[in-house]
Amino acid sequence: MSISEQDGEKADVPLTIDPDIFTESHGIFRKTVRHFFETEADPYLEAWDEAHAIPRSFWRKAGDLGILGIGVPEEYGGPGGDFLDRVVMTQEMGYAISSASIGPAFQRDQMCEQLMDFGTEAQKKQWLPKMVKGECLLAFTVTEPDSGSDLSSIRTTAVRNGDHYVINGAKTYISGIADADLFLVACKTDPDAGSRGISVFLIERDAPGLRIGRVLKKMGCHASSNGELFFDNIRVPAENLFGPLNGGFKVLVKSLNRDRLMWSIISHAAATRAFDLTVEFVKDRKAFGQSVFDFQNTRFRLADMAAELAVGQAYIDRCLRTFIRQGEVDMMEATIAKLWLPEMEGRIVDQCVQLHGGAGYMDEYPVSRLFTAARLHRIFAGTAEIMRLQIGRAL
Ligand SMILES: Cc1cc2nc3c(=O)[nH]c(=O)nc-3n(C[C@H](O)[C@H](O)[C@H](O)COP(=O)(O)OP(=O)(O)OC[C@H]3O[C@@H](n4cnc5c(N)ncnc54)[C@H](O)[C@@H]3O)c2cc1C
């Protein structure tokens, strides 16, 4: 964000692009991604929300453009690219109005990284080329009716039987349930060993005994389906074990730091979009013979938001600089980002709705969708309380 300090000069408030972090080629990629969401997602949002579905053609177009599976090398059909390309993609997805509805379904794209890290050669060859083309849609299934934040308490079991595992249990809230082709499923393979008894399996949608339950009605993010999944004596070939036996906890948390940072970036980008939309709205809206923008209250509130966004951006840039220096996201930085940025987003989007007046509550104004999506970001991918718990533990 660049805010001119000169009196009267127009503030310029786009997503900040720090030239010390992003190169010219990241800039070109950024334009491509922004154009893609503006033309291939934002205009269809209402229809997708009503249908509670994102059409398959959207994923295929994203795959054709090379914005799925960033980082997957060409030998697996991927577009290549580096971590900062993924950051660019994430920022632009977060800034798109459509992300307020399709965001959670995009978690499936982050799974490419796990497949690269833990998949066997056969699994990578079988699934990655289809995933990066948007032809195989993955769902990440950990949460159960009685277990969410406490991963070690999952009850779904996988029991070895000859060259198969037999899987029984249930999952819930799973994003992209309606159209997923493949499920990455966390199970207990040693029920008495807590987090050391978890293993992950790849299960195809048509596996006998796999049943999709209800698609759940929810507050927002309507296009991205969420729902229940049941496993009733599913026989899964042993080669579908994903990562080490009883090493599933490591598989699940390996990309956690990156995911936390990515969801923080989405929160910041979405808050920036809400802010931009609000500045535009209040300049246009008249009350008591003047524009809403000209009330001192409005300007003070916008100034507070601009300050929070600038501070948030500076923290994200710090996380990215650490990545550039160390080649990895720092765990504590990512945890702090995942605590603070979604809460900041919540404060900003709430104020943006307020400054829209009644319009802010109407879905035809995007800020309404941004509000309900923001509420999710404090829960999804690790709740704010779990972030506080982990930061507190490290003190
Ligand atoms: C829209 C949406 C999409 C989702 N998509 C997926 C998906 O694709 N795959 C998937 O596996 N899951 C998914 N989830 C589930 C999500 O990850 C969980 O809802 C989240 O991790 C919280 O778990 P929980 O709902 O069981 O809450 P709980 O763990 O029961 O927590 C309830 C409350 O207690 C707090 N709490 C828990 N433990 C502690 C503690 N030790 N100290 C203090 N407070 C604590 C929590 O922060 C929360 O406020 C999705 C959820 C939503 C809403």
Side-chain angles (χ1 to χ4, degrees):
M1 175 186 303
S2 64
I3 308 268
S4 166
E5 288 176 6
Q6 285 177 19
D7 261 355
E9 199 171 306
K10 188 177 164 291
D12 172 24
V13 192
L15 284 173
T16 322
I17 319 303
D18 185 332
D20 292 338
I21 295 176
F22 295 102
T23 63
E24 221 177 301
S25 87
H26 291 128
I28 295 165
F29 183 54
R30 180 180 296 284
K31 281 191 187 141
T32 306
V33 180
R34 187 173 289 204
H35 182 255
F36 176 77
F37 281 103
E38 279 173 359
T39 55
E40 298 296 343
D42 291 355
Y44 308 109
L45 190 53
E46 219 168 304
W48 294 358
D49 268 358
E50 269 166 34
H52 292 273
I54 306 163
R56 285 212 161 232
S57 56
F58 168 77
W59 298 106
R60 290 210 191 91
K61 281 179 197 163
D64 288 346
L65 196 65
I67 63 172
L68 295 181
I70 291 168
V72 174
E74 276 177 35
E75 60 175 307
Y76 301 111
D82 60 17
F83 177 71
L84 290 174
D85 286 313
R86 253 185 78 190
V87 171
V88 168
M89 153 73 184
T90 305
Q91 281 182 319
E92 291 303 325
M93 200 262 282
Y95 190 76
I97 288 162
S98 47
S99 96
S101 196
I102 67 177
F106 252 92
Q107 195 187 24
R108 60 180 33 144
D109 190 45
Q110 295 174 10
M111 296 301 111
C112 287
E113 190 181 296
Q114 263 151 318
L115 219 84
M116 284 300 300
D117 283 347
F118 293 102
T120 61
E121 194 53 28
Q123 288 168 344
K124 288 194 232 179
K125 285 210 168 100
Q126 183 175 2
W127 299 114
L128 279 172
K130 293 183 196 159
M131 283 167 67
V132 300
K133 283 277 163 228
E135 288 163 5
C136 170
L137 305 180
L138 194 86
F140 176 72
T141 81
V142 176
T143 306
E144 301 186 352
D146 295 318
S147 154
S149 305
D150 180 10
L151 183 56
S152 61
S153 68
I154 58 166
R155 291 196 194 157
T156 297
T157 53
V159 177
R160 183 90 191 210
N161 181 336
D163 54 1
H164 282 72
Y165 282 88
V166 179
I167 297 183
N168 281 290
K171 300 284 175 186
T172 193
Y173 304 153
I174 304 309
S175 297
I177 191 89
D179 58 2
D181 304 297
L182 186 65
F183 298 94
L184 200 130
V185 183
C187 302
K188 275 280 172 77
T189 33
D190 185 350
D192 300 325
S195 62
R196 293 205 177 86
I198 295 173
S199 303
V200 179
F201 293 85
L202 287 165
I203 307 181
E204 291 178 65
R205 190 185 186 92
D206 59 4
L210 185 145
R211 184 166 63 83
I212 309 286
R214 291 175 301 156
V215 172
L216 300 165
K217 289 186 182 163
K218 57 189 189 298
M219 185 191 285
C221 297
H222 294 299
S224 167
S225 62
N226 285 84
E228 302 167 327
L229 189 61
F230 299 97
F231 313 108
D232 185 15
N233 280 320
I234 301 189
R235 284 179 65 78
V236 175
E239 59 264 26
N240 286 30
L241 175 67
F242 180 75
L245 182 65
N246 295 325
F249 193 76
K250 198 172 151 207
V251 173
L252 297 172
V253 299
K254 168 88 198 290
S255 62
L256 203 69
N257 299 333
R258 288 184 181 203
D259 288 353
R260 284 181 181 170
L261 181 57
M262 291 300 170
W263 283 103
S264 310
I265 288 171
I266 287 176
S267 282
H268 184 271
T272 305
R273 186 58 180 262
F275 176 86
D276 289 353
L277 288 164
T278 303
V279 171
E280 207 181 302
F281 181 88
V282 294
K283 285 186 173 171
D284 195 47
R285 181 75 183 167
K286 302 275 183 299
F288 298 94
Q290 65 180 75
S291 83
V292 171
F293 179 74
D294 285 329
F295 294 121
Q296 191 187 46
N297 173 67
T298 307
R299 291 195 183 188
F300 276 14
R301 285 179 188 272
L302 289 172
D304 285 344
M305 290 186 228
E308 285 216 84
L309 286 169
V311 171
Q313 182 67 63
Y315 193 73
I316 290 172
D317 289 350
R318 170 184 157 151
C319 296
L320 297 180
R321 284 201 184 89
T322 301
F323 177 86
I324 291 166
R325 218 173 39 249
Q326 299 181 356
E328 201 38 87
V329 172
D330 180 80
M331 189 193 79
M332 192 46 63
E333 283 185 354
T335 308
I336 289 173
K338 178 67 177 68
L339 168 62
W340 197 80
L341 286 152
E343 291 196 343
M344 176 210 75
E345 179 193 15
R347 289 191 294 275
I348 288 191
V349 178
D350 184 65
Q351 285 298 321
C352 289
V353 168
Q354 191 66 22
L355 289 175
H356 273 71
Y361 203 71
M362 302 296 150
D363 271 353
E364 61 194 83
Y365 289 85
V367 75
S368 157
R369 280 192 178 80
L370 289 166
F371 179 78
T372 48
R375 195 61 195 82
L376 172 64
H377 296 157
R378 277 183 268 164
I379 298 170
F380 184 66
T383 65
E385 290 71 29
I386 296 303
M387 299 308 117
R388 287 194 166 87
L389 197 77
Q390 294 189 357
I391 296 164
R393 250 188 224 144
L395 298 178

